[in-house]
Amino acid sequence: MTTAPPTPPDTDAVAFVAALRRLKAWSGRSYRQLERRATEAGHTLPYSTAATMLGRDRLPREELVAAFVAACGVRAEEAEAWLDARVAIACGPPAETAVRPRTVAAAPDPRCREVAREGLQSGRARRVWPRRRTFAAAAVAATVLFGGVTATGAFADDVEAEVEQTGTSLYLPRS
C-alpha cells in the first residue's frame, strides 16, 4: 500500500461501488481478512456481505461503507470523504441544482445530509424514512385492536336470546 487509496466519486451508485472495488484491490486483502480487520476496528462486516456489496451496483448502507473502508486500512479523514460521498449520492443533488428548465425534479429533504451524518455519529445509522417500521407498527396495532374487539364479543350478537325469541334452531334442517 505504497500508493494513495482511490478517492470516492460522488456521482452515482455504480461509480461509487466501482471505487469500493478498487479500494479492495488497493488494500490487497481477502474478504476474510477484511472481516477480521473490521472486527478489530469495532465494526461488523461479514465476508459474505462484503462480497455481495461489491457484486452489486446498488449503494451500500452507510455502516457497511464505514466498516469496509476501515477494514481496507483507510485513515479517518479519508474515511470521512467516503462517507460524505455516500451521503451525497443517497440524498441526491442539492435543492438549487434540482430545478431544470421546463421540468422540476423532486428535491431531496434539506435535512437529509444532517440526519444521515447524525445517525452515523451516534454509533448507529438511522434511515431517513423508516417506512417499513411504520407500516409494521400500524399492522400490529390494527391486529391487536381487532383481536381485542373480537375477544370481547362486540361483533357477536346474543345468539341464544335470538333463538329463544324467534323459535328457530341453530342447525340447518337436513334434507
Side-chain angles (χ1 to χ4, degrees):
M1 291 193 296
T2 58
T3 62
T7 58
D10 59 358
T11 54
D12 64 345
V14 175
F16 187 80
V17 174
L20 286 175
R21 289 184 200 115
R22 287 191 301 276
L23 181 63
K24 181 192 178 293
W26 172 82
S27 74
R29 296 187 173 111
S30 69
Y31 289 114
R32 297 266 184 183
Q33 290 171 332
L34 290 174
E35 179 180 20
R36 283 190 290 269
R37 291 288 302 240
T39 303
E40 292 169 2
H43 296 282
T44 302
L45 181 67
Y47 71 92
S48 60
T49 302
T52 302
M53 174 179 71
L54 296 182
R56 295 182 179 167
D57 287 335
R58 291 191 321 218
L59 194 63
R61 293 188 324 260
E62 195 164 1
E63 63 269 12
L64 290 178
V65 173
F68 186 79
V69 296
C72 286
V74 176
R75 294 188 311 238
E77 56 273 356
E78 294 168 342
E80 282 295 318
W82 282 93
L83 296 174
D84 289 340
R86 191 247 174 243
V87 169
I89 294 168
C91 292
E96 60 270 4
T97 62
V99 178
R100 296 186 183 138
R102 297 186 181 241
T103 60
V104 177
D109 186 359
R111 298 174 301 139
C112 181
R113 285 176 172 72
E114 289 82 19
V115 170
R117 300 301 306 148
E118 180 182 298
L120 188 67
Q121 290 171 354
S122 69
R124 58 181 171 87
R126 290 186 300 191
R127 293 174 58 158
V128 178
W129 309 109
R131 292 181 181 142
R132 288 186 182 167
R133 290 185 189 158
T134 304
F135 179 74
V140 167
T143 302
V144 168
L145 181 65
F146 184 71
V149 169
T150 303
T152 60
F155 291 139
D157 295 328
D158 192 7
V159 176
E160 292 177 12
E162 186 176 338
V163 168
E164 288 179 15
Q165 288 176 351
T166 59
T168 58
S169 172
L170 292 175
Y171 304 104
L172 293 174
R174 293 184 187 187
S175 53

